[in-house]
Amino acid sequence: MEQPSPSGGSPELSDSEQSEESSVYSGLEDSGSDSECSGNGEEEEEEEEEEEEEAPGSPSGPQAQAPGKRKTLEDDSPLEGKQDLVVHDEYEEDSSDEEDIRNTVGNIPMEWYQDFPHVGYDLDGKKIYKPLRSKDELDLFLEKMENPEYWRTVQDGQTGAEVPLSEEQLELIRRLQRGNFGDVGFDPYEPAVDFFSHEVRIHPVTNRPADKRSFIPSLVEKEKVSKLVHAIKMGWIQPRKPKENVPTFYDLWAREDPNSVLGRHKMHVPAPKIPLPGHAESYNPPPEFLLSPEEQLAWEQQDPAERRPSFIPRKFRSLRAVPAYSRFIHERFERCLDLYLCPRQRRMRVNVDPEDLIPKLPRPRDLQPFPTTQALIYRGHSSLVRTLSVSPSGQWLVSGSDDGTVRFWEVSTARCLRSIPVGSVVRSVAWNPNPSICLVAVALDEQVLLVNPGLGDRLLVAATDQLLDSWEAPEEERIQPVRWIPAGPEERGKGIRLLVQHDKPVTQVTWHGKGDYWASVVRNPGGRQVLIHQSSRRWSQNPFRKSPGMIQCVRFHPLRPYFLVASQRSVRVYNLLRQELTRKLQSNCQWISSMAVHPGGDNVICGSYDSKLAWFDLDLSTRPYRLLRHHGRAVRAVAFHRRFPLFASGSDDGSVIVCHGMVYSDLLQNALLVPLKVLRGHAARLQLGVLDVAFHPQQPWLFSAGADGTLRLYA
C-alpha cells in the first residue's frame, strides 16, 4: 500500500502533475474580489502548510479530506485531468493603475450630479449615493485636529468618498509642484535618436509601388473644374485685378492736424478754448468800457445768466493796485465742470442750404387783416395807465390810472365821455362781457367797485340797475370772506352801485363769460388769494382750502366750467363742478406776469417778466408748445382776439408785437404761429413801457395802455 504524499494530493500524480493541476483549477475558485484574493493569498498558504505539518499521515484525494477544510470547486470538477480545456481568470492578477471603474457614468462633468442625491451608477446599474455630510464647522475642526491623515485626505470625484493619498501619490504631487517630471526614471537630457538619417540615401524608406489612381484622371476633380468654368462664364467669379503700384514711401504726418496735440487720434475732439480777454477785462480799460451808474444798476437787476459782460469793468491806476480776483476758484470750477459734463462728439458736416432750414411760413401779406399802424391816441390821464377794458359792443373803452381816476372813452373819436375819481391807484378794470348788462368792475386798494357807467342804451342801463336792486337779503346772515356794501347817494351819482370790501389789496378782477360771476385776486401770500363772487346773489366764496402759491392772475374758461390760476411758474386748471385739479402746466419761465385763454378754449398763452411768451396746447402737453422770445424786456400783458386768429403781447421795451395764431379743428395739426408786426408808439417811463393790451371785439384793432399816460389804438 502506497504512502500518501506529504502535499495531500493523489498518489497516482507526480509532483509536476500536481503543480499543473493546482495551476489549472486555481482560476475556478470562488473568490469575493480581486482585493480579497490578493490580500488573503498568503494567509491561505500558511494555513495549508500548518495542516500538512499537523497531519502528515492523513489520506489525500476527494474521498478523504480534513474535517475542518472547506470543499472547493476543484475537488468535484469534471474537468479533472483536462487542463487544456480550463480557462484562466484574466483578472486574478490585475496590477493596472486604471481609475476606479465602479462608477460607470463615463468621462462627463460631475457638476451635472450636484443637484441629485447620487453621483452615478455601478456595474449593476444601481445608484451610487453621495456620502452623508451632516458635519458642521465644529465637527470638521475636531476631525482636522484628531485625524492625523486629514492633511492627505481628498474627495473622490467619481464616488464622493474620502480617499487618503499614498506616499507615491504625495511624492508625485511634490515633484509636479517643484516643476519636475512625474516619472522618476525619465531623463529629459538623454541623447536624441535620429529615426531617419540626415544623409540622402539611394533607396527609399519604403519600396511600395504607386497606386493605379495616380495614373488615371480623377472624376471628382473633373466635376470641380467644370463647376469653376461655369461660374467664370456666368460672371460669378471675377478675375483678380492687378495690384496698383503703391509708392513705398509716403508722408506719415500728411493728414495730421498740426494744431491738435492728439491729432493722430481720429475720434479725438479738442476742448473748446477759452476766449481771450478783451479791453473790458483790462486793469486800465478805456472810458467807453466803464459802466455808468444807470448801466450798473440795470446790470445788477438782470439775471446772472443773462448779464453781458459777466463782470463789472473796473479801473486801477497801476497793476500793483489790482486786488485778487474773488471769483477765480469759482470760474475754474465751472470750467472743469464744462469740460467734464459737456458731451463732445464729432459730427460729420452736411452741406445744407441755410434757406432750407428756415420753416416755410406764409407771408404776412397773406394773413391780413391785422393792426399795422397807429390810428388814435387817447390822452387825459396824468400818470401811467395800468389797465384797460373794452365793452362787448366795441363802442366804449374804460381805463384805470395811477392818478386815481377811471375814464370812459369813445373808441371811434378818442373822446373822454366820463371820468370817475376814486382817490387811489386803480389796479384793474374789467367790463362785463355780457351785452345785456352794463357793468364795470374796478379794483383799487382793498375794495372792488361795481360801476354802471350809464353809457349807451338807457333801457340797458336801467335794466342793470334793476338787476342789482332786486336782491333781497336772506333771513339768516351768512359768513362771507368779504363785505357787500351798497353805494351811498354820493357814490351812486358817480355811477358806483356796490362796494365789495376785501381784507387785503386787490390786484386783479375778471368776469365769467355769462356775466354773473367774477373773480378777484388778493395780495395775501400764504393765505386766501382768490375769491369768486356772484353779483345777483351778492355771495362770495373761497374756492381753495390752501394756497397754490403766489397767485399772479386768474381766468375763466370761455366754454367749460374750468378755472385757470397762474402762479409764479405754473398754471393750474381746476374743474369747478368736480372741484378737482385737472392739469398743471409748466411754463418754463421765471415769473409769470399775465395770461390769456383762446376763445376756443384749448390754447393758453402766458407772458413772463423774463421776456418770454409761452403758448400751451392743452390737448398736446403740459409743456409749452412754443416759447417765443421776441421782446427784449419783461412782457406785461397778453391778449387773444375773439374772432380773428390774432394774439398780441406788450412789453416794457415800449413795443407791442402782433402774431398770427391759427388753431385748426383737426387735432392732428398743430397751431400755426407767425409773427406779423411790431407796433411802437409808447415812450418808456420809470423803466416801464406797455402795461396792458386788449383787442376790439369785432374789428382787427388793438388797444394798448402805456406808462406815458396814454392809450393808443392800432388799426
Side-chain angles (χ1 to χ4, degrees), residues 570-623:
S570 62
V571 178
R572 291 174 171 85
V573 182
Y574 294 94
N575 191 326
L576 296 178
L577 293 180
R578 298 182 181 179
Q579 298 182 2
E580 63 181 8
L581 177 65
T582 303
R583 58 173 54 88
K584 182 180 179 181
L585 308 178
Q586 300 293 337
S587 64
N588 292 347
C589 301
Q590 296 294 332
W591 198 302
I592 296 177
S593 61
S594 55
M595 176 177 58
V597 185
H598 191 271
D602 292 335
N603 295 270
V604 178
I605 57 175
C606 294
S608 65
Y609 291 114
D610 53 350
S611 67
K612 298 177 184 177
L613 189 144
W615 177 292
F616 292 95
D617 191 343
L618 300 183
D619 296 332
L620 184 62
S621 173
T622 58
R623 297 284 181 179

Short mmCIF file of all heavy atoms in Angstrom, two decimals, residues 570-623:
data_model
loop_
_atom_site.label_atom_id
_atom_site.label_comp_id
_atom_site.label_asym_id
_atom_site.label_seq_id
_atom_site.Cartn_x
_atom_site.Cartn_y
_atom_site.Cartn_z
N SER A 570 -46.18 128.23 -12.83
CA SER A 570 -47.05 127.22 -13.40
C SER A 570 -48.47 127.76 -13.50
O SER A 570 -48.82 128.76 -12.89
CB SER A 570 -47.03 125.93 -12.57
OG SER A 570 -47.50 126.18 -11.26
N VAL A 571 -49.27 127.05 -14.29
CA VAL A 571 -50.69 127.37 -14.47
C VAL A 571 -51.48 126.12 -14.11
O VAL A 571 -51.27 125.06 -14.71
CB VAL A 571 -50.99 127.81 -15.91
CG1 VAL A 571 -52.48 128.08 -16.08
CG2 VAL A 571 -50.18 129.04 -16.28
N ARG A 572 -52.39 126.27 -13.16
CA ARG A 572 -53.24 125.15 -12.73
C ARG A 572 -54.63 125.33 -13.31
O ARG A 572 -55.19 126.43 -13.27
CB ARG A 572 -53.30 125.06 -11.21
CG ARG A 572 -51.99 124.65 -10.56
CD ARG A 572 -52.10 124.72 -9.04
NE ARG A 572 -50.94 124.14 -8.38
CZ ARG A 572 -49.82 124.80 -8.14
NH1 ARG A 572 -49.71 126.06 -8.50
NH2 ARG A 572 -48.81 124.20 -7.54
N VAL A 573 -55.18 124.24 -13.82
CA VAL A 573 -56.51 124.23 -14.40
C VAL A 573 -57.40 123.41 -13.48
O VAL A 573 -57.16 122.21 -13.29
CB VAL A 573 -56.51 123.65 -15.83
CG1 VAL A 573 -57.90 123.71 -16.44
CG2 VAL A 573 -55.51 124.40 -16.71
N TYR A 574 -58.43 124.05 -12.91
CA TYR A 574 -59.33 123.40 -11.96
C TYR A 574 -60.70 123.21 -12.61
O TYR A 574 -61.17 124.07 -13.37
CB TYR A 574 -59.49 124.24 -10.69
CG TYR A 574 -58.24 124.35 -9.87
CD1 TYR A 574 -57.37 125.43 -10.03
CD2 TYR A 574 -57.91 123.39 -8.92
CE1 TYR A 574 -56.23 125.55 -9.27
CE2 TYR A 574 -56.76 123.50 -8.16
CZ TYR A 574 -55.92 124.58 -8.34
OH TYR A 574 -54.78 124.68 -7.58
N ASN A 575 -61.34 122.10 -12.28
CA ASN A 575 -62.71 121.84 -12.69
C ASN A 575 -63.62 122.28 -11.55
O ASN A 575 -63.60 121.71 -10.45
CB ASN A 575 -62.91 120.35 -12.99
CG ASN A 575 -64.23 120.06 -13.68
OD1 ASN A 575 -65.23 120.72 -13.40
ND2 ASN A 575 -64.22 119.07 -14.56
N LEU A 576 -64.45 123.31 -11.80
CA LEU A 576 -65.29 123.87 -10.74
C LEU A 576 -66.43 122.94 -10.37
O LEU A 576 -66.89 122.97 -9.22
CB LEU A 576 -65.83 125.23 -11.18
CG LEU A 576 -64.78 126.32 -11.41
CD1 LEU A 576 -65.44 127.60 -11.89
CD2 LEU A 576 -63.97 126.57 -10.15
N LEU A 577 -66.93 122.12 -11.31
CA LEU A 577 -68.02 121.21 -10.97
C LEU A 577 -67.53 120.04 -10.12
O LEU A 577 -68.13 119.70 -9.11
CB LEU A 577 -68.69 120.69 -12.25
CG LEU A 577 -69.46 121.74 -13.08
CD1 LEU A 577 -70.07 121.09 -14.31
CD2 LEU A 577 -70.54 122.40 -12.23
N ARG A 578 -66.44 119.43 -10.54
CA ARG A 578 -65.88 118.30 -9.78
C ARG A 578 -65.01 118.75 -8.61
O ARG A 578 -64.66 117.92 -7.76
CB ARG A 578 -65.06 117.41 -10.72
CG ARG A 578 -65.87 116.79 -11.83
CD ARG A 578 -64.99 115.89 -12.69
NE ARG A 578 -65.74 115.29 -13.78
CZ ARG A 578 -65.20 114.47 -14.69
NH1 ARG A 578 -63.91 114.17 -14.63
NH2 ARG A 578 -65.95 113.97 -15.66
N GLN A 579 -64.65 120.02 -8.62
CA GLN A 579 -63.81 120.58 -7.56
C GLN A 579 -62.50 119.79 -7.42
O GLN A 579 -62.14 119.28 -6.36
CB GLN A 579 -64.56 120.59 -6.23
CG GLN A 579 -65.81 121.45 -6.25
CD GLN A 579 -66.52 121.48 -4.91
OE1 GLN A 579 -66.06 120.88 -3.95
NE2 GLN A 579 -67.64 122.18 -4.85
N GLU A 580 -61.79 119.69 -8.54
CA GLU A 580 -60.53 118.97 -8.55
C GLU A 580 -59.58 119.63 -9.55
O GLU A 580 -60.01 120.39 -10.44
CB GLU A 580 -60.74 117.50 -8.93
CG GLU A 580 -61.29 117.31 -10.34
CD GLU A 580 -61.51 115.85 -10.68
OE1 GLU A 580 -61.38 115.02 -9.76
OE2 GLU A 580 -61.82 115.55 -11.85
N LEU A 581 -58.31 119.32 -9.40
CA LEU A 581 -57.27 119.83 -10.30
C LEU A 581 -57.23 118.96 -11.55
O LEU A 581 -57.02 117.74 -11.47
CB LEU A 581 -55.91 119.82 -9.60
CG LEU A 581 -54.71 120.26 -10.43
CD1 LEU A 581 -54.83 121.72 -10.83
CD2 LEU A 581 -53.41 120.04 -9.65
N THR A 582 -57.45 119.59 -12.71
CA THR A 582 -57.46 118.84 -13.97
C THR A 582 -56.06 118.63 -14.52
O THR A 582 -55.65 117.52 -14.83
CB THR A 582 -58.32 119.57 -15.01
OG1 THR A 582 -59.63 119.74 -14.48
CG2 THR A 582 -58.38 118.79 -16.31
N ARG A 583 -55.27 119.68 -14.63
CA ARG A 583 -53.89 119.55 -15.10
C ARG A 583 -53.08 120.74 -14.59
O ARG A 583 -53.63 121.77 -14.18
CB ARG A 583 -53.81 119.47 -16.63
CG ARG A 583 -54.41 120.65 -17.35
CD ARG A 583 -54.13 120.58 -18.84
NE ARG A 583 -54.57 119.35 -19.42
CZ ARG A 583 -55.80 119.14 -19.90
NH1 ARG A 583 -56.69 120.11 -19.83
NH2 ARG A 583 -56.12 118.00 -20.45
N LYS A 584 -51.78 120.56 -14.66
CA LYS A 584 -50.85 121.59 -14.22
C LYS A 584 -49.87 121.85 -15.36
O LYS A 584 -49.16 120.94 -15.80
CB LYS A 584 -50.11 121.15 -12.96
CG LYS A 584 -49.13 122.18 -12.41
CD LYS A 584 -48.45 121.67 -11.16
CE LYS A 584 -47.46 122.69 -10.62
NZ LYS A 584 -46.76 122.19 -9.40
N LEU A 585 -49.81 123.09 -15.83
CA LEU A 585 -48.96 123.47 -16.95
C LEU A 585 -47.67 124.09 -16.43
O LEU A 585 -47.70 125.00 -15.60
CB LEU A 585 -49.69 124.48 -17.86
CG LEU A 585 -51.10 124.08 -18.32
CD1 LEU A 585 -51.70 125.20 -19.16
CD2 LEU A 585 -51.07 122.79 -19.10
N GLN A 586 -46.54 123.56 -16.91
CA GLN A 586 -45.22 124.09 -16.55
C GLN A 586 -44.79 125.10 -17.61
O GLN A 586 -44.68 124.76 -18.79
CB GLN A 586 -44.19 122.95 -16.45
CG GLN A 586 -44.54 121.90 -15.41
CD GLN A 586 -44.48 122.43 -14.01
OE1 GLN A 586 -43.81 123.42 -13.72
NE2 GLN A 586 -45.19 121.78 -13.10
N SER A 587 -44.54 126.33 -17.18
CA SER A 587 -44.32 127.41 -18.14
C SER A 587 -42.88 127.54 -18.60
O SER A 587 -42.62 128.20 -19.62
CB SER A 587 -44.75 128.74 -17.51
OG SER A 587 -43.92 129.04 -16.38
N ASN A 588 -41.93 126.96 -17.88
CA ASN A 588 -40.50 127.12 -18.19
C ASN A 588 -40.09 128.59 -18.15
O ASN A 588 -39.17 129.01 -18.88
CB ASN A 588 -40.16 126.53 -19.55
CG ASN A 588 -40.28 125.02 -19.57
OD1 ASN A 588 -40.39 124.39 -18.52
ND2 ASN A 588 -40.26 124.44 -20.75
N CYS A 589 -40.76 129.39 -17.35
CA CYS A 589 -40.45 130.81 -17.19
C CYS A 589 -40.12 131.09 -15.73
O CYS A 589 -40.51 130.33 -14.83
CB CYS A 589 -41.62 131.69 -17.63
SG CYS A 589 -42.14 131.44 -19.35
N GLN A 590 -39.41 132.17 -15.51
CA GLN A 590 -39.02 132.52 -14.15
C GLN A 590 -40.19 133.11 -13.35
O GLN A 590 -40.35 132.82 -12.17
CB GLN A 590 -37.85 133.52 -14.19
CG GLN A 590 -36.58 132.97 -14.80
CD GLN A 590 -35.96 131.86 -13.97
OE1 GLN A 590 -36.13 131.81 -12.76
NE2 GLN A 590 -35.25 130.96 -14.62
N TRP A 591 -41.01 133.95 -13.99
CA TRP A 591 -42.07 134.63 -13.26
C TRP A 591 -43.16 135.00 -14.26
O TRP A 591 -42.95 135.82 -15.15
CB TRP A 591 -41.52 135.88 -12.57
CG TRP A 591 -42.40 136.40 -11.46
CD1 TRP A 591 -43.70 136.77 -11.57
CD2 TRP A 591 -42.04 136.59 -10.10
NE1 TRP A 591 -44.19 137.18 -10.36
CE2 TRP A 591 -43.18 137.09 -9.43
CE3 TRP A 591 -40.87 136.41 -9.37
CZ2 TRP A 591 -43.18 137.40 -8.08
CZ3 TRP A 591 -40.86 136.71 -8.03
CH2 TRP A 591 -42.01 137.20 -7.38
N ILE A 592 -44.34 134.40 -14.11
CA ILE A 592 -45.47 134.69 -15.00
C ILE A 592 -46.07 136.03 -14.62
O ILE A 592 -46.27 136.33 -13.44
CB ILE A 592 -46.52 133.57 -14.91
CG1 ILE A 592 -45.91 132.24 -15.42
CG2 ILE A 592 -47.76 133.92 -15.71
CD1 ILE A 592 -46.86 131.07 -15.29
N SER A 593 -46.36 136.84 -15.63
CA SER A 593 -46.94 138.17 -15.39
C SER A 593 -48.40 138.25 -15.82
O SER A 593 -49.19 138.97 -15.19
CB SER A 593 -46.13 139.23 -16.14
OG SER A 593 -46.17 138.99 -17.54
N SER A 594 -48.78 137.56 -16.89
CA SER A 594 -50.14 137.69 -17.43
C SER A 594 -50.53 136.40 -18.11
O SER A 594 -49.68 135.54 -18.40
CB SER A 594 -50.23 138.86 -18.40
OG SER A 594 -49.26 138.72 -19.43
N MET A 595 -51.82 136.28 -18.42
CA MET A 595 -52.34 135.06 -19.03
C MET A 595 -53.59 135.40 -19.83
O MET A 595 -54.35 136.30 -19.47
CB MET A 595 -52.66 134.02 -17.95
CG MET A 595 -53.29 132.74 -18.45
SD MET A 595 -53.55 131.53 -17.14
CE MET A 595 -54.58 132.46 -16.01
N ALA A 596 -53.80 134.67 -20.93
CA ALA A 596 -55.00 134.82 -21.76
C ALA A 596 -55.39 133.45 -22.30
O ALA A 596 -54.52 132.60 -22.56
CB ALA A 596 -54.75 135.79 -22.92
N VAL A 597 -56.71 133.24 -22.46
CA VAL A 597 -57.25 131.97 -22.93
C VAL A 597 -57.83 132.17 -24.32
O VAL A 597 -58.53 133.17 -24.58
CB VAL A 597 -58.32 131.43 -21.96
CG1 VAL A 597 -58.79 130.04 -22.40
CG2 VAL A 597 -57.79 131.39 -20.54
N HIS A 598 -57.54 131.23 -25.22
CA HIS A 598 -58.06 131.30 -26.59
C HIS A 598 -59.58 131.15 -26.57
O HIS A 598 -60.14 130.43 -25.74
CB HIS A 598 -57.42 130.19 -27.43
CG HIS A 598 -57.67 130.32 -28.89
ND1 HIS A 598 -58.77 129.77 -29.51
CD2 HIS A 598 -56.96 130.96 -29.87
CE1 HIS A 598 -58.73 130.04 -30.80
NE2 HIS A 598 -57.64 130.75 -31.04
N PRO A 599 -60.30 131.83 -27.46
CA PRO A 599 -61.77 131.68 -27.49
C PRO A 599 -62.23 130.25 -27.68
O PRO A 599 -63.30 129.87 -27.22
CB PRO A 599 -62.19 132.58 -28.66
CG PRO A 599 -61.09 133.58 -28.79
CD PRO A 599 -59.84 132.87 -28.40
N GLY A 600 -61.42 129.43 -28.35
CA GLY A 600 -61.78 128.01 -28.49
C GLY A 600 -61.60 127.22 -27.22
O GLY A 600 -62.18 126.14 -27.07
N GLY A 601 -60.79 127.71 -26.31
CA GLY A 601 -60.62 127.09 -25.01
C GLY A 601 -59.54 126.05 -24.91
O GLY A 601 -59.27 125.56 -23.81
N ASP A 602 -58.86 125.68 -26.01
CA ASP A 602 -57.86 124.62 -25.97
C ASP A 602 -56.43 125.14 -25.97
O ASP A 602 -55.49 124.34 -25.97
CB ASP A 602 -58.03 123.69 -27.17
CG ASP A 602 -59.32 122.89 -27.08
OD1 ASP A 602 -59.81 122.69 -25.95
OD2 ASP A 602 -59.84 122.48 -28.14
N ASN A 603 -56.24 126.46 -25.98
CA ASN A 603 -54.90 127.03 -26.02
C ASN A 603 -54.82 128.19 -25.03
O ASN A 603 -55.79 128.94 -24.86
CB ASN A 603 -54.54 127.51 -27.42
CG ASN A 603 -54.47 126.36 -28.42
OD1 ASN A 603 -53.43 125.76 -28.61
ND2 ASN A 603 -55.60 126.05 -29.05
N VAL A 604 -53.65 128.32 -24.42
CA VAL A 604 -53.41 129.35 -23.42
C VAL A 604 -52.05 129.97 -23.71
O VAL A 604 -51.09 129.27 -24.08
CB VAL A 604 -53.43 128.77 -21.99
CG1 VAL A 604 -53.14 129.84 -20.95
CG2 VAL A 604 -54.78 128.12 -21.70
N ILE A 605 -51.95 131.30 -23.55
CA ILE A 605 -50.65 131.98 -23.66
C ILE A 605 -50.37 132.66 -22.33
O ILE A 605 -51.28 133.14 -21.64
CB ILE A 605 -50.62 133.00 -24.82
CG1 ILE A 605 -51.73 134.04 -24.66
CG2 ILE A 605 -50.69 132.31 -26.15
CD1 ILE A 605 -51.68 135.15 -25.70
N CYS A 606 -49.07 132.68 -21.98
CA CYS A 606 -48.62 133.30 -20.73
C CYS A 606 -47.42 134.20 -21.04
O CYS A 606 -46.49 133.79 -21.75
CB CYS A 606 -48.21 132.24 -19.70
SG CYS A 606 -49.58 131.23 -19.11
N GLY A 607 -47.45 135.40 -20.50
CA GLY A 607 -46.30 136.30 -20.58
C GLY A 607 -45.53 136.28 -19.28
O GLY A 607 -46.11 136.01 -18.20
N SER A 608 -44.25 136.54 -19.34
CA SER A 608 -43.41 136.45 -18.15
C SER A 608 -42.49 137.66 -18.08
O SER A 608 -42.24 138.34 -19.08
CB SER A 608 -42.58 135.16 -18.16
OG SER A 608 -41.66 135.18 -19.22
N TYR A 609 -41.99 137.90 -16.87
CA TYR A 609 -41.09 139.03 -16.66
C TYR A 609 -39.70 138.78 -17.24
O TYR A 609 -38.89 139.71 -17.29
CB TYR A 609 -40.99 139.33 -15.17
CG TYR A 609 -42.26 139.89 -14.58
CD1 TYR A 609 -42.99 139.18 -13.64
CD2 TYR A 609 -42.74 141.14 -14.97
CE1 TYR A 609 -44.16 139.69 -13.09
CE2 TYR A 609 -43.91 141.65 -14.44
CZ TYR A 609 -44.62 140.93 -13.50
OH TYR A 609 -45.78 141.44 -12.98
N ASP A 610 -39.38 137.55 -17.62
CA ASP A 610 -38.09 137.28 -18.26
C ASP A 610 -38.21 137.30 -19.79
O ASP A 610 -37.50 136.56 -20.48
CB ASP A 610 -37.50 135.95 -17.78
CG ASP A 610 -38.48 134.80 -17.94
OD1 ASP A 610 -39.66 135.07 -18.23
OD2 ASP A 610 -38.07 133.65 -17.76
N SER A 611 -39.13 138.13 -20.30
CA SER A 611 -39.29 138.44 -21.74
C SER A 611 -39.62 137.21 -22.57
O SER A 611 -39.17 137.09 -23.70
CB SER A 611 -38.03 139.13 -22.30
OG SER A 611 -36.93 138.26 -22.30
N LYS A 612 -40.41 136.30 -22.04
CA LYS A 612 -40.82 135.11 -22.79
C LYS A 612 -42.33 135.08 -22.90
O LYS A 612 -43.05 135.59 -22.04
CB LYS A 612 -40.34 133.83 -22.10
CG LYS A 612 -38.84 133.70 -21.99
CD LYS A 612 -38.47 132.44 -21.24
CE LYS A 612 -36.97 132.34 -21.03
NZ LYS A 612 -36.61 131.13 -20.23
N LEU A 613 -42.80 134.45 -23.98
CA LEU A 613 -44.22 134.21 -24.17
C LEU A 613 -44.39 132.73 -24.47
O LEU A 613 -43.84 132.22 -25.46
CB LEU A 613 -44.78 135.06 -25.30
CG LEU A 613 -46.30 135.06 -25.47
CD1 LEU A 613 -46.80 136.42 -25.91
CD2 LEU A 613 -46.75 134.01 -26.49
N ALA A 614 -45.13 132.04 -23.62
CA ALA A 614 -45.31 130.60 -23.74
C ALA A 614 -46.70 130.30 -24.27
O ALA A 614 -47.70 130.81 -23.75
CB ALA A 614 -45.11 129.92 -22.39
N TRP A 615 -46.77 129.48 -25.33
CA TRP A 615 -48.04 129.04 -25.92
C TRP A 615 -48.26 127.59 -25.48
O TRP A 615 -47.43 126.72 -25.73
CB TRP A 615 -47.99 129.15 -27.44
CG TRP A 615 -49.22 128.64 -28.15
CD1 TRP A 615 -49.65 127.35 -28.23
CD2 TRP A 615 -50.20 129.42 -28.87
NE1 TRP A 615 -50.80 127.26 -28.95
CE2 TRP A 615 -51.17 128.52 -29.37
CE3 TRP A 615 -50.33 130.76 -29.17
CZ2 TRP A 615 -52.26 128.92 -30.14
CZ3 TRP A 615 -51.41 131.17 -29.93
CH2 TRP A 615 -52.37 130.27 -30.41
N PHE A 616 -49.39 127.32 -24.84
CA PHE A 616 -49.74 125.98 -24.37
C PHE A 616 -50.88 125.43 -25.22
O PHE A 616 -51.84 126.14 -25.52
CB PHE A 616 -50.19 126.00 -22.90
CG PHE A 616 -49.10 126.33 -21.93
CD1 PHE A 616 -48.92 127.62 -21.48
CD2 PHE A 616 -48.27 125.34 -21.46
CE1 PHE A 616 -47.93 127.92 -20.58
CE2 PHE A 616 -47.27 125.63 -20.55
CZ PHE A 616 -47.09 126.92 -20.12
N ASP A 617 -50.75 124.18 -25.60
CA ASP A 617 -51.83 123.42 -26.21
C ASP A 617 -52.31 122.41 -25.18
O ASP A 617 -51.60 121.46 -24.85
CB ASP A 617 -51.35 122.72 -27.48
CG ASP A 617 -52.50 122.13 -28.29
OD1 ASP A 617 -53.60 121.98 -27.73
OD2 ASP A 617 -52.30 121.82 -29.47
N LEU A 618 -53.52 122.62 -24.65
CA LEU A 618 -54.00 121.78 -23.55
C LEU A 618 -54.20 120.33 -23.97
O LEU A 618 -54.12 119.43 -23.13
CB LEU A 618 -55.31 122.34 -23.00
CG LEU A 618 -55.25 123.77 -22.44
CD1 LEU A 618 -56.59 124.18 -21.88
CD2 LEU A 618 -54.17 123.88 -21.37
N ASP A 619 -54.44 120.09 -25.25
CA ASP A 619 -54.62 118.72 -25.73
C ASP A 619 -53.32 118.05 -26.09
O ASP A 619 -53.31 116.84 -26.37
CB ASP A 619 -55.54 118.70 -26.96
CG ASP A 619 -56.93 119.19 -26.64
OD1 ASP A 619 -57.34 119.02 -25.48
OD2 ASP A 619 -57.60 119.73 -27.55
N LEU A 620 -52.22 118.79 -26.09
CA LEU A 620 -50.95 118.24 -26.55
C LEU A 620 -50.06 117.84 -25.38
O LEU A 620 -49.65 116.69 -25.27
CB LEU A 620 -50.23 119.26 -27.44
CG LEU A 620 -48.90 118.80 -28.07
CD1 LEU A 620 -49.15 117.63 -28.99
CD2 LEU A 620 -48.24 119.95 -28.82
N SER A 621 -49.77 118.79 -24.48
CA SER A 621 -48.82 118.50 -23.41
C SER A 621 -48.98 119.55 -22.33
O SER A 621 -49.63 120.59 -22.51
CB SER A 621 -47.38 118.49 -23.95
OG SER A 621 -46.45 118.38 -22.91
N THR A 622 -48.37 119.26 -21.19
CA THR A 622 -48.32 120.24 -20.09
C THR A 622 -47.11 121.15 -20.23
O THR A 622 -46.96 122.06 -19.41
CB THR A 622 -48.26 119.51 -18.75
OG1 THR A 622 -47.11 118.65 -18.72
CG2 THR A 622 -49.51 118.67 -18.54
N ARG A 623 -46.27 120.92 -21.22
CA ARG A 623 -45.14 121.80 -21.51
C ARG A 623 -45.51 122.77 -22.63
O ARG A 623 -46.42 122.50 -23.41
CB ARG A 623 -43.91 120.97 -21.92
CG ARG A 623 -43.41 120.04 -20.84
CD ARG A 623 -42.67 120.81 -19.78
NE ARG A 623 -42.14 119.94 -18.73
CZ ARG A 623 -41.44 120.36 -17.69
NH1 ARG A 623 -41.16 121.66 -17.56
NH2 ARG A 623 -41.00 119.53 -16.78
#
